[in-house]
Amino acid sequence: MSPRLTVRRFLLHVLSLITMFAAVCAAAATTHGLSGRITDATGHGVPAADVQIVELQRHVVSDSTGAFHFAEVPDGRYTITVRRLSYAPQSIALAISADTAHDFSLVASPFMMEPVVVTGTPAPREPQRLALPSSVLAGEALRQNETVSIAHAIEGLPGVHTVSTGAQVGKPMIRGLTGPRVLVLDDGHRLEDYSWSDEDGPSIDARSVERVEVVRGPASVLYGSDALNGVVNTVPPLLPESPDGQRVLHTGAAAYFGSNNREGGAVLRVDGASGAWGWRVSGIGRGAGDLHTPDAALANTGFFSVSGDAAAGKRSDHGNMQLRFTHYGGEFKLLEADGPPDSSAGKEGGPERKLTDDRLQFDDDRLLGNIRLETRAQWQRHNLIEVADDPNAPAGAKKESEQFNLLLNTGTLEVTAHHSGDKWTGAVGASGLVQFNDTRGPVPLVPDANVASGALFVFAQRHYEKVDVLGGVRVDAIHLDADANAGLNLTAHSRSDAQASASEGVVYRFATGWSATANIGQAWRAPTLFELYTNGPHLGELRYEVGDPDLNVEKGIDVDAGVHWQNARVRVDLAGYRNQMRDFIFVRPTDEFRASGSGDSLRVYEYRQSDAVLQGGEAGAEVMVSDHLVLHGRFDYVWGNDEQQNEPLPLIPPAHGALGFKLRWYHLGWADQFMVGAEVVSAAKQTRLSEFDTPTAAYAMLHMDAGLEHQWWERAFRIDLSVRNLTNDQHRDYLSRYKEFADDPGRNVLLRVSTGL
């Protein structure tokens, strides 16, 4: 039996499982109401608090008296969270088998810690009960970091950095690894793109999400290939709910301006609910000119982007269903090492990438007793085009020509049965993927190819009084067919891979607020199309790349340990790890040069493999010194080495650290609350360089933020002012693609005004 036929049969079995479970769960479940009141320490009601039933993805907002109400909640055990800016969030586990009332008393606090994490675990868990370290960016911190690139928004989290192309394109790096080794999710759905390229980052605008969760370490057991070194999960706003069947309509808008590159943008969101239905429509537009360093402008570094989503969902007495469409697209100009052509000679400004990414997502949650059946399906269309100046264009003709045009269509389907109890939490599931790559441009970077894969997995967590033990196993099968391509000197080629991944972890709560964690995980990933088959010039990277069809799968065994301490005023996280990689795939320069087709001679880079090791650690802390002042700091370091050549791995970031504070006041008369903060971010010089790395000097930058919130015209308005690189220091980031020939941007003043968001 061929591998392709096996995968097809597997996918048919998955569809059969969906049909069977849907039929079983279609029977009406028993439902009851959940209500309560949110109060502060004085007993007064807290309005506008967000109350969520996490497993059902349902939320309501408390009214002016602090009261909230959920109608028709299916019987079961759920995680209930309460969040309100300027109050410490709360989370409880609550079993509902009758009409239930539960009140919450919130404590005023500038200390904003997320109560639960939903990524990297089969059920929502408190961060201190996860075996792998996690970080969350949400609320005010996310709003102040909002950019067109989700990677740039999260680069301040411990162990997280960005491989950047200017300010508009970024790829998240976790613990020294990036690209296809870090899986990015959009509300739990895999994002598939051309991760080989420094100029193809995740197709998510940071302003479109409500929360970003990052899990550091191998998460292949739950998510499969590409989650070898970590997961970034972006969580959009939940659909509103109609209290007692009343119609609800919300509107939100925001506008901002950045001084450095004259960047401006606007956001508009409208959502509502009526009866059992909820819906949302949002749009984001951004545009920017050239970036400016402390010395000069960087020509051909502007961009324009448009993104947004439309979603509708229905709740019933046996679960919830949602359909969502998202769009992300734009034109992103690229700076080259030799700068843009001379505009006085009548030529254009240089190459640019044109990106369009559309996703249609279906989510369905069904409840049957203590079993929650979750179905996720997505179709994604990802189109990447690069255009560059045509030196041979006649006078009056179009002066740019298409270099490559790649179209990737991907369908994914996953069905997971979740169980949540007092002693056991677990998940059993199956997933499948089909993918079609179409090479349509004049430069065939990779061949036309089809991919099919399937997986089965099980994950469980056992809860004791002071100890949680968790572990899981996953088996994946993947088959690839690549067509013959004369331009790549490639004959038709097929390959199949079947791999298992596993993890085992323990969490020990040895004292009040203290926990120690340990985890060992085995993960893997299959080589990408570009690592296997590319054979041509990549003008954006100024190199000629050659793949290797005989590459092995990449495997890693990661050992992770940490300590977590958290109480009402202090949070401390320490983590250390060692990741042993077998058949690590990397690109290495050669002494050969080949013509690029545009008159340039480019150095040849070849994809190779070697055993490697990465080890390091992260530390983060927040301390509430007073009711108004919070101090925070973070530090991370990673060391990477090619074990066979006994030399440093390429593009391993140097040590990074930050120290800062936030001051917050409440009820000032002219503002409901006011915040001011500052942070010093520093990076060391990387002294361990591979043969084609470019060294960069150590640097430190000062950032400052201020914001106020107040009610005007019966609406809550928010004004934020941020200054990045306040002292306009000249520096070059080690992970910048422009570091060989250009400084990083200088001072940038950002002003944002928002309401209802």
Side-chain angles (χ1 to χ4, degrees):
M1 182 181 296
S2 70
R4 175 185 288 184
L5 187 58
T6 301
V7 171
R8 286 178 178 173
R9 288 189 174 182
F10 173 82
L11 294 176
L12 288 175
H13 286 313
V14 171
L15 289 172
S16 299
L17 283 172
I18 293 176
T19 304
M20 179 186 69
F21 276 117
V24 170
C25 296
T30 304
T31 63
H32 291 92
L34 171 63
S35 60
R37 187 165 178 258
I38 314 297
T39 60
D40 60 19
T42 65
H44 291 90
V46 177
D50 186 78
V51 186
Q52 292 188 15
I53 305 177
V54 180
E55 289 84 352
L56 298 181
Q57 295 192 26
R58 292 176 60 180
H59 85 124
V60 295
V61 176
S62 61
D63 64 19
S64 58
T65 68
F68 70 91
H69 175 67
F70 290 95
E72 297 181 349
V73 179
D75 289 357
R77 184 179 179 84
Y78 303 106
T79 304
I80 314 297
T81 64
V82 180
R83 298 179 178 89
R84 178 66 167 94
L85 187 64
S86 76
Y87 291 90
Q90 287 191 19
S91 171
I92 65 164
L94 194 63
I96 296 177
S97 58
D99 287 339
T100 303
H102 190 91
D103 296 334
F104 294 86
S105 179
L106 300 184
V107 178
S109 172
F111 208 22
M112 292 302 296
M113 295 179 293
E114 279 295 306
V116 297
V117 174
V118 301
T119 307
T121 175
R125 307 299 299 170
E126 300 89 342
Q128 60 268 32
R129 301 188 71 172
L130 297 176
L132 285 174
S134 66
S135 302
V136 180
L137 188 69
E140 184 177 72
L142 177 59
R143 181 171 55 247
Q144 291 169 346
N145 286 307
E146 65 179 33
T147 71
V148 70
S149 160
I150 194 68
H152 283 94
I154 64 174
E155 63 182 344
L157 298 176
V160 182
H161 300 284
T162 302
V163 179
S164 63
T165 301
Q168 69 271 39
V169 181
K171 297 163 63 64
M173 171 180 280
I174 298 178
R175 292 180 167 181
L177 296 180
T178 186
R181 302 177 181 94
V182 174
L183 179 63
V184 180
L185 304 173
D186 177 20
D187 199 19
H189 297 269
R190 294 176 62 97
L191 284 189
E192 294 290 331
D193 52 32
Y194 296 106
S195 297
W196 59 276
S197 171
D198 290 340
E199 289 89 25
D200 193 22
S203 301
I204 300 177
D205 191 300
R207 197 61 178 93
S208 67
V209 304
E210 186 175 71
R211 188 171 76 254
V212 185
E213 298 183 351
V214 177
V215 175
R216 305 188 296 276
S220 290
V221 168
L222 283 177
Y223 302 109
S225 180
D226 300 347
L228 187 146
N229 207 51
V231 176
V232 177
N233 185 23
T234 62
V235 183
L238 296 177
L239 296 180
E241 187 157 324
S242 172
D244 301 320
Q246 301 174 5
R247 289 189 176 183
V248 173
L249 180 66
H250 299 142
T251 60
Y256 79 98
F257 176 77
S259 65
N260 182 281
N261 56 349
R262 304 297 189 267
E263 181 178 342
V267 182
L268 179 63
R269 181 187 300 160
V270 182
D271 59 28
S274 179
W277 288 89
W279 57 273
R280 179 183 67 247
V281 177
S282 69
I284 306 169
R286 298 178 185 265
D290 292 336
L291 290 166
H292 286 70
T293 72
D295 291 334
L298 299 179
N300 205 59
T301 55
F303 72 91
F304 173 77
S305 74
V306 175
S307 58
D309 74 342
K314 184 178 186 296
R315 60 177 174 81
S316 65
D317 57 4
H318 50 263
N320 302 283
M321 178 183 65
Q322 176 178 295
L323 188 67
R324 177 173 178 244
F325 172 78
T326 70
H327 169 81
Y328 179 95
E331 298 183 4
F332 305 91
K333 297 183 178 182
L334 306 176
L335 177 65
E336 292 186 296
D338 53 358
D342 183 4
S343 59
S344 64
K347 297 183 179 180
E348 300 295 328
E352 66 179 61
R353 291 280 173 95
K354 299 181 179 181
L355 170 66
T356 302
D357 188 281
D358 296 307
R359 301 185 293 276
L360 182 63
Q361 301 170 344
F362 173 78
D363 293 89
D364 185 79
D365 282 286
R366 305 274 167 168
L367 289 130
L368 183 63
N370 288 330
I371 302 298
R372 178 172 63 92
L373 183 70
E374 180 183 36
T375 302
R376 295 182 182 272
Q378 175 179 264
W379 186 264
Q380 179 182 2
R381 182 185 185 275
H382 188 84
N383 185 211
L384 185 65
I385 301 172
E386 180 171 300
V387 298
D389 298 325
D390 185 357
N392 301 317
K398 185 178 181 181
K399 293 180 171 35
E400 66 177 23
S401 62
E402 188 176 278
Q403 298 299 299
F404 62 77
N405 185 334
L406 300 172
L407 177 63
L408 192 68
N409 281 286
T410 308
T412 56
L413 177 65
E414 181 173 289
V415 181
T416 308
H418 299 269
H419 170 75
S420 181
D422 293 332
K423 295 184 178 181
W424 283 97
T425 299
V428 178
S431 66
L433 176 148
V434 292
Q435 189 172 85
F436 311 95
N437 179 74
D438 185 10
T439 298
R440 307 185 298 178
V443 179
L445 295 180
V446 292
D448 292 345
N450 300 330
V451 177
S453 69
L456 295 170
F457 61 91
V458 58
F459 193 95
Q461 187 165 354
R462 179 66 163 89
H463 315 297
Y464 298 94
E465 182 179 355
K466 289 189 175 183
V467 177
D468 283 4
V469 179
L470 61 157
V473 177
R474 181 185 181 105
V475 178
D476 287 84
I478 181 170
H479 181 79
L480 181 151
D481 285 317
D483 295 347
N485 190 300
L488 297 171
N489 194 27
L490 177 70
T491 59
H493 187 265
S494 297
R495 62 177 287 153
S496 297
D497 295 297
Q499 296 290 327
S501 51
S503 69
E504 182 70 28
V506 61
V507 181
Y508 174 44
R509 296 176 295 281
F510 56 90
T512 302
W514 287 89
S515 62
T517 63
N519 189 83
I520 181 169
Q522 174 184 300
W524 73 286
R525 75 171 183 93
T528 68
L529 287 176
F530 294 89
E531 293 166 338
L532 294 169
Y533 305 123
T534 187
N535 189 355
H538 294 182
L539 298 181
E541 287 84 5
L542 291 177
R543 59 198 190 198
Y544 191 107
E545 291 190 5
V546 178
D548 181 358
D550 297 322
L551 290 174
N552 298 321
V553 299
E554 197 174 73
K555 297 181 180 179
I557 297 179
D558 181 274
V559 179
D560 195 293
V563 176
H564 180 91
W565 176 35
Q566 179 175 320
N567 60 28
R569 306 184 73 90
V570 177
R571 180 193 62 82
V572 176
D573 287 292
L574 300 173
Y577 60 89
R578 178 182 173 87
N579 191 356
Q580 186 74 48
M581 305 285 293
R582 195 174 77 182
D583 292 323
F584 180 80
I585 301 172
F586 61 99
V587 62
R588 180 185 292 274
T590 69
D591 294 329
E592 182 183 357
F593 287 81
R594 295 186 189 178
S596 66
S598 61
D600 297 325
S601 181
L602 302 178
R603 183 184 292 273
V604 175
Y605 286 71
E606 294 180 344
Y607 281 98
R608 300 180 182 176
Q609 290 189 291
S610 178
D611 292 344
V613 64
L614 295 99
Q615 54 191 8
E618 303 109 13
E622 290 181 279
V623 179
M624 191 170 75
V625 179
S626 70
D627 292 341
H628 301 284
L629 176 62
V630 173
L631 304 179
H632 66 267
R634 64 180 183 273
F635 176 81
D636 62 75
Y637 175 73
V638 58
W639 180 93
N641 205 59
D642 182 330
E643 295 291 89
Q644 292 176 330
Q645 301 296 325
N646 193 26
E647 62 182 28
L649 291 176
L651 274 186
I652 300 297
H656 280 72
L659 290 172
F661 72 89
K662 283 193 176 182
L663 275 166
R664 193 182 304 274
W665 295 269
Y666 311 99
H667 311 301
L668 299 175
W670 51 272
D672 294 333
Q673 57 179 296
F674 175 73
M675 181 278 299
V676 63
E679 183 178 64
V680 176
V681 178
S682 63
K685 178 181 179 180
Q686 177 60 286
T687 58
R688 304 189 71 255
L689 302 173
S690 73
E691 62 180 290
F692 69 100
D693 272 341
T694 300
T696 54
Y699 66 85
M701 287 189 299
L702 174 62
H703 304 323
M704 294 199 70
D705 298 289
L708 67 86
E709 184 178 301
H710 195 61
Q711 290 272 350
W712 284 294
W713 307 293
E714 298 183 352
R715 289 186 66 94
F717 283 82
R718 177 84 192 186
I719 301 174
D720 292 286
L721 180 68
S722 302
V723 185
R724 296 292 177 260
N725 193 4
L726 177 67
T727 55
N728 205 33
D729 285 335
Q730 189 173 9
H731 69 287
R732 298 190 181 190
D733 190 272
Y734 184 74
L735 297 178
S736 169
R737 195 183 69 81
Y738 296 159
K739 67 179 179 180
E740 295 184 31
F741 45 85
D743 291 334
D744 274 24
R747 182 187 301 112
N748 190 23
V749 181
L750 295 112
L751 177 65
R752 309 174 188 85
V753 179
S754 61
T755 178
L757 293 175

